[in-house]
Amino acid sequence: MALPKRIIKETERLMAEPVKGISAVPHEDNLRYFDVTIEGPEQSPYEGGVFKLELFLPDDYPMTPPKIRFLTKIYHPNIDRLGRICLDVLKGNWSPALQIRTILLSIQALLGAPNPDDPLANDVAQKWKEDQNAAIETARQWTREHAKP
Amino acid sequence: MNTVLCRSDAVDGTSTPCLPPPATPSYMVDHHVVEGIEERPALAPHTDTDARLLVRLIQCRQCSKPFSSPVTMPCGHTVCQRCLPAPQRRVNISYPQTLDHQLGILCPVCGQENSTADCNVDVTVSKIMALLVDYVSRWTAKHAEVVLTLEEVPQPPNDALISEKEMKGHVAQYGGGRLAGTFQMAVDGLLDYWADVAYSKSPGCEKDDLEDLDLDHFNSLRDAISTEMDCMVCYNTMLDPTTTPCGHTFCRHCLMRTLDHSIICPVCRRDVYLSPSLLYQPKNHCLASILDQVWPEVVAARKHTVSEEERPEGALDVPLFVCTLALPGMPCFLHIFEPRYRLMMRRCMEGNRKFGMLMYNQASTSQGDLGVTRFLEYGTLLHIVNFQLLPDGRSLVETVGVSRFRVIEHGMLDGYDVGRIERVDDISLGTEKRLEATEVGTAQSQAALYNAQHPPVPMTAANCPELLTTIELFQACKQYILDMRARSAPWLSERLVRAYGDCPDDPATFPYWFAAVLPIAEEQKYLLLRTTSVRERLKIVYMWIRRIEGQRLLLPRCGGYIGNILATCMGGFHASLTAFISTS
């Protein structure tokens, strides 16, 4: 099936005007599948880390959101062990006016502002609430170990 | 609209001899009836008429100035926010019960009453206006030396007799060429919406290549606003622009698809109270005219591409609904709620109203040449008899089986399956006869041999359907139906008849009817779809009956147990069915 114009345009724009700290490159054999990297935002426990993600645009994209998952291990209350992300815009709050670029920016923002009150990884969220400093330290350590640039 | 056409026609070339021969005032022509690009008049922004036409596209009909805070009403017309008439209280409106729905605004263009809640600033037209004002003023400053004298040529309504004085239009001098001058004249309130313009070079203006200048200006303006003309959903130039009450515009089919998934506006997330079928929602006339005028070739190309895209790719031309078992000649009632199937149904209704119904391949068995697919390879082509769209976008669909088919090739289109199918027909009657003769003959001679040895269980029609002729099989099955009816209440059979018709007298179609009313596993009924001989189908049905009867005989104390279950199942199922039919 031919690739919709929208996906072609989005890909072109991602290549032509990349977002700082974010890259998304489509696979040559499947232009709906992207290799994504996101740099940890400054002033966050993820600073200095480069996180790998996979992104897939389903058949009825942009009517349904892209499917995204962290490949790099990350210690975050809204990201579980399998890399799945708890983010409203990836679920019910998706809108076809959003795009790959805005979604990746939202994920980067989520790294800068973890929300332990709406957790996906319960154990991490628990730690985050009980002892925030220790949790942040763990996140830093995981970033150093797993998210080497 | 037609009156407008007449007005311009009456004047062109008569009172303003400086104008070129009367060009069709194409911006008023409904381009939906125009096929192909060639027939459309090419736009010539460097000519007097078209310079005037272009500016009229963004002039408010009320104040004649270029739109300022434009509002596009649900009727599709656009005026400045300040030009909206005062809201009036609407009577006999109780839902939704908010103040702004109690108040209505009469559209100054068409007179339709729109609720004030739905009259919001049109985001796209606003952005375009901001860009135009900016670009025109910069252009005028850059080419201030090209001064033209513009004379407004008023067009009196309905050929009324107007005195010389009233006919006299405004005269003003503007720099920047025809397009910029006309725009500026409208900004200054010196150009009536209906009026034409006569252009002449002011004394001292030495510019010779005025045409090139206007063309350059037109191109720069077109490039400036082109990105605003992209739909936020498909990223293409908008096709049939349709505006939400919150003021955001999308291609009509993109907005439809979005509303299949959610009732909120994709851009601002406000609830969009629009009918699920947007077919009758007026388009945004202002944007549609701009697109048709400025990008006629793009609009034509988009129409072509969309009609291609909506059609399943290449040979995969049949939409496939993987859901349940449907049988030829039998009705199938569906409740459509999934967004992808809402889209599929809409396309079916626009097309030939047919789609294929397939069952899920629950056991993940290999389907012939297709390998393991999520559906079983044999299905029934359904024709939509009755389509009822519910207010929330779901629909109740009444279909009837047309023919059986096998999937040859399949793919996906916007989330649902599509395929190339091959019709499945019965073997010829000649072959059918030969098959019967051979089978009955062989079975009878074998049974005679076997039974001569006095076995404990002799071979009879009860355990060997091959002994019976096709008509005997049919009659045995039919007798079972009669027995069943005698056992259950008469109203039950009435309901059955109402939903599925009376028991057919044709042995070829009887098994489908029987399968439709018999509450046994669908996987068993599926066998009928792939059986291409009448005799084989009857044998399948006969064996079902033997099995049901056998179970009944094994449970003598629960006399009529299976029969009763059968009757109860049928009753419950058909009660709901009848309720559905009587409502639709």
Side-chain angles (χ1 to χ4, degrees):
Chain A
M1 187 144 305
L3 205 62
K5 174 99 173 277
R6 153 138 188 176
I7 296 182
I8 298 170
K9 276 203 177 178
E10 271 202 63
T11 311
E12 280 171 1
R13 285 183 206 171
L14 278 169
M15 298 292 143
E17 312 147 33
V19 196
K20 194 174 167 287
I22 293 176
S23 82
V25 184
H27 274 208
E28 259 174 42
D29 53 345
N30 184 356
L31 296 171
R32 286 177 177 269
Y33 189 91
F34 290 74
D35 286 324
V36 176
T37 61
I38 296 182
E39 287 174 20
E42 286 171 20
Q43 317 282 321
S44 80
Y46 310 101
E47 185 175 357
V50 175
F51 297 87
K52 285 199 178 71
L53 297 90
E54 60 177 357
L55 181 150
F56 179 70
L57 303 174
D59 268 337
D60 44 0
Y61 178 82
M63 293 303 148
T64 53
K67 297 190 190 309
I68 311 183
R69 191 171 77 93
F70 269 86
L71 296 174
T72 307
K73 260 183 92 159
I74 182 166
Y75 193 78
H76 191 290
N78 310 107
I79 299 162
D80 75 2
R81 231 177 306 162
L82 297 173
R84 293 175 300 193
I85 307 161
C86 178
L87 189 61
D88 59 347
V89 285
L90 286 176
K91 292 171 184 152
N93 269 350
W94 166 256
S95 142
L98 295 170
Q99 40 171 311
I100 300 174
R101 176 189 301 268
T102 48
I103 284 297
L104 295 182
L105 280 168
S106 300
I107 294 174
Q108 199 180 33
L110 186 70
L111 295 186
N115 177 10
D117 292 325
D118 182 20
L120 193 64
N122 261 318
D123 48 334
V124 180
Q126 197 62 34
K127 289 256 170 56
W128 216 276
K129 279 191 195 167
E130 282 166 9
D131 186 352
Q132 194 175 344
N133 289 338
I136 288 177
E137 193 41 55
T138 315
R140 270 209 192 95
Q141 197 187 326
W142 281 40
T143 305
R144 276 195 300 272
E145 275 175 33
H146 305 291
K148 285 186 209 116
Chain B
M1 286 294 173
N2 281 330
T3 51
V4 179
L5 245 158
C6 302
R7 232 192 291 241
S8 293
D9 279 352
V11 173
D12 274 358
T14 50
S15 62
T16 51
C18 58
L19 289 178
T24 320
S26 44
Y27 81 104
M28 283 300 173
V29 174
D30 189 359
H31 285 300
H32 284 274
V33 295
V34 180
E35 297 285 347
I37 327 162
E38 317 73 53
E39 296 171 41
R40 197 166 299 173
L43 196 85
H46 52 285
T47 63
D48 293 350
T49 353
D50 282 352
R52 172 68 195 104
L53 287 183
L54 283 170
V55 172
R56 192 178 280 138
L57 291 174
I58 44 92
Q59 257 183 297
C60 170
R61 283 232 223 167
Q62 284 304 96
C63 65
S64 291
K65 291 188 178 178
F67 290 120
S68 124
S69 302
V71 170
T72 300
M73 292 163 281
C75 60
H77 296 108
T78 309
V79 291
C80 305
Q81 197 166 36
R82 56 163 188 251
C83 297
L84 283 175
Q88 20 180 272
R89 186 155 288 279
R90 307 165 87 183
V91 283
N92 298 332
I93 301 250
S94 66
Y95 175 82
Q97 202 178 20
T98 53
L99 180 68
D100 41 11
H101 281 280
Q102 303 278 311
L103 295 174
I105 290 178
L106 288 183
C107 169
V109 181
C110 66
Q112 185 187 308
E113 190 181 57
N114 301 298
S115 132
T116 46
D118 298 338
C119 295
N120 294 303
V121 170
D122 184 319
V123 178
T124 311
V125 182
S126 294
K127 282 187 185 163
I128 291 174
M129 291 314 297
L131 286 167
L132 287 181
V133 169
D134 182 38
Y135 270 73
V136 172
S137 66
R138 274 197 272 159
W139 181 271
T140 314
K142 199 169 144 198
H143 299 278
E145 77 291 351
V146 190
V147 183
L148 295 180
T149 303
L150 279 71
E151 190 189 346
E152 183 193 21
V153 184
Q155 306 300 322
N158 301 331
D159 300 330
L161 286 171
I162 305 278
S163 67
E164 274 295 303
K165 197 181 154 201
E166 277 176 277
M167 271 300 286
K168 194 89 185 137
H170 298 96
V171 179
Q173 293 193 332
Y174 292 103
R178 263 180 286 234
L179 210 50
T182 319
F183 186 85
Q184 209 54 50
M185 195 176 192
V187 171
D188 292 344
L190 302 178
L191 181 59
D192 182 62
Y193 178 83
W194 302 110
D196 284 335
V197 181
Y199 303 85
S200 55
K201 278 185 198 165
S202 294
C205 174
E206 302 296 323
K207 191 77 175 169
D208 288 330
D209 51 350
L210 196 56
E211 276 73 22
D212 291 347
L213 183 81
D214 276 323
L215 208 53
D216 282 353
H217 190 200
F218 171 74
N219 289 336
S220 77
L221 290 179
R222 186 174 62 174
D223 295 347
I225 64 170
S226 70
T227 50
E228 298 305 327
M229 291 298 183
D230 281 352
C231 167
M232 291 283 278
V233 172
C234 66
Y235 286 24
N236 279 299
T237 307
M238 284 192 258
L239 180 67
D240 203 359
T242 307
T243 303
T244 61
C246 50
H248 297 104
T249 309
F250 311 91
C251 304
R252 184 182 300 268
H253 69 280
C254 287
L255 185 55
M256 271 189 186
R257 287 195 60 188
T258 306
L259 293 180
D260 283 345
H261 289 258
S262 147
I263 59 154
I264 59 168
C265 168
V267 176
C268 68
R269 295 178 187 277
R270 261 180 283 187
D271 284 352
V272 177
Y273 293 111
L274 286 176
S275 155
S277 160
L278 280 175
L279 292 176
Y280 303 110
Q281 175 77 15
K283 64 180 167 192
N284 186 321
H285 295 290
C286 171
L287 287 174
S289 312
I290 295 177
L291 285 163
D292 286 347
Q293 276 298 297
V294 181
W295 290 277
E297 67 298 330
V298 177
V299 172
R302 278 280 287 140
K303 268 185 201 165
H304 180 73
T305 335
V306 168
S307 66
E308 290 283 300
E309 276 171 9
E310 301 258 303
R311 215 175 310 142
E313 195 166 300
L316 305 180
D317 55 354
V318 180
L320 299 173
F321 190 178
V322 184
C323 175
T324 181
L325 173 91
L327 296 154
M330 291 297 122
C332 178
F333 303 91
L334 300 164
H335 170 204
I336 307 294
F337 53 90
E338 266 191 78
R340 53 185 172 153
Y341 291 127
R342 291 184 191 189
L343 176 68
M344 186 181 110
M345 284 300 153
R346 208 157 52 230
R347 288 180 181 165
C348 284
M349 289 304 288
E350 286 164 9
N352 62 2
R353 298 174 73 120
K354 286 190 178 62
F355 62 94
M357 176 61 84
L358 294 166
M359 283 171 70
Y360 277 106
N361 182 2
Q362 267 158 345
S364 297
T365 50
S366 180
Q367 299 299 306
D369 300 337
L370 299 176
V372 177
T373 48
R374 70 184 196 106
F375 50 78
L376 299 179
E377 60 179 327
Y378 287 91
T380 303
L381 195 66
L382 294 177
H383 175 75
I384 303 173
V385 182
N386 196 349
F387 182 82
Q388 201 184 3
L389 188 63
L390 302 177
D392 59 1
R394 292 177 299 134
S395 53
L396 295 174
V397 185
E398 189 187 337
T399 64
V400 65
V402 181
S403 57
R404 294 172 294 158
F405 67 84
R406 190 167 73 89
V407 180
I408 303 293
E409 201 184 337
H410 66 106
M412 293 295 271
L413 177 71
D414 296 317
Y416 60 83
D417 294 278
V418 286
R420 184 157 67 87
I421 61 170
E422 177 188 73
R423 198 185 148 107
V424 174
D425 280 313
D426 279 346
I427 52 174
S428 71
L429 280 177
T431 321
E432 180 87 46
K433 278 184 226 155
R434 276 198 298 280
L435 185 110
E436 182 186 358
T438 325
E439 193 172 87
V440 175
T442 319
Q444 278 173 350
S445 54
Q446 276 184 353
L449 275 175
Y450 180 72
N451 291 346
Q453 299 162 10
H454 304 288
V457 184
M459 243 169 117
T460 62
N463 53 24
C464 178
E466 285 78 8
L467 284 169
L468 294 173
T469 64
T470 303
I471 284 300
E472 279 168 349
L473 278 169
F474 177 52
Q475 278 160 352
C477 296
K478 245 191 131 168
Q479 189 54 49
Y480 177 72
I481 294 292
L482 293 174
D483 292 350
M484 288 299 299
R485 278 200 181 155
R487 254 179 253 163
S488 55
W491 59 265
L492 190 70
S493 44
E494 272 170 38
R495 290 196 159 194
L496 265 178
V497 169
R498 226 195 294 174
Y500 292 105
D502 210 345
C503 175
D505 284 326
D506 179 3
T509 52
F510 170 81
Y512 302 133
W513 180 88
F514 190 77
V517 300
L518 189 74
I520 59 165
E522 290 196 335
E523 283 69 22
Q524 300 218 22
K525 299 181 185 178
Y526 173 73
L527 291 174
L528 294 179
L529 292 184
R530 41 186 314 171
T531 308
T532 53
S533 135
V534 177
R535 182 173 168 77
E536 292 302 315
R537 278 203 296 278
L538 285 168
K539 269 158 61 183
I540 292 172
V541 171
Y542 184 79
M543 288 318 285
W544 291 344
I545 294 173
R546 299 311 320 167
R547 211 161 57 231
I548 294 169
E549 290 282 279
Q551 280 167 355
R552 205 163 66 87
L553 293 173
L554 288 175
L555 299 161
R557 265 173 298 175
C558 322
Y561 171 73
I562 299 286
N564 283 343
I565 290 203
L566 208 59
T568 323
C569 293
M570 284 182 183
F573 175 54
H574 292 115
S576 55
L577 204 63
T578 321
F580 168 67
I581 298 169
S582 53
T583 51
S584 57

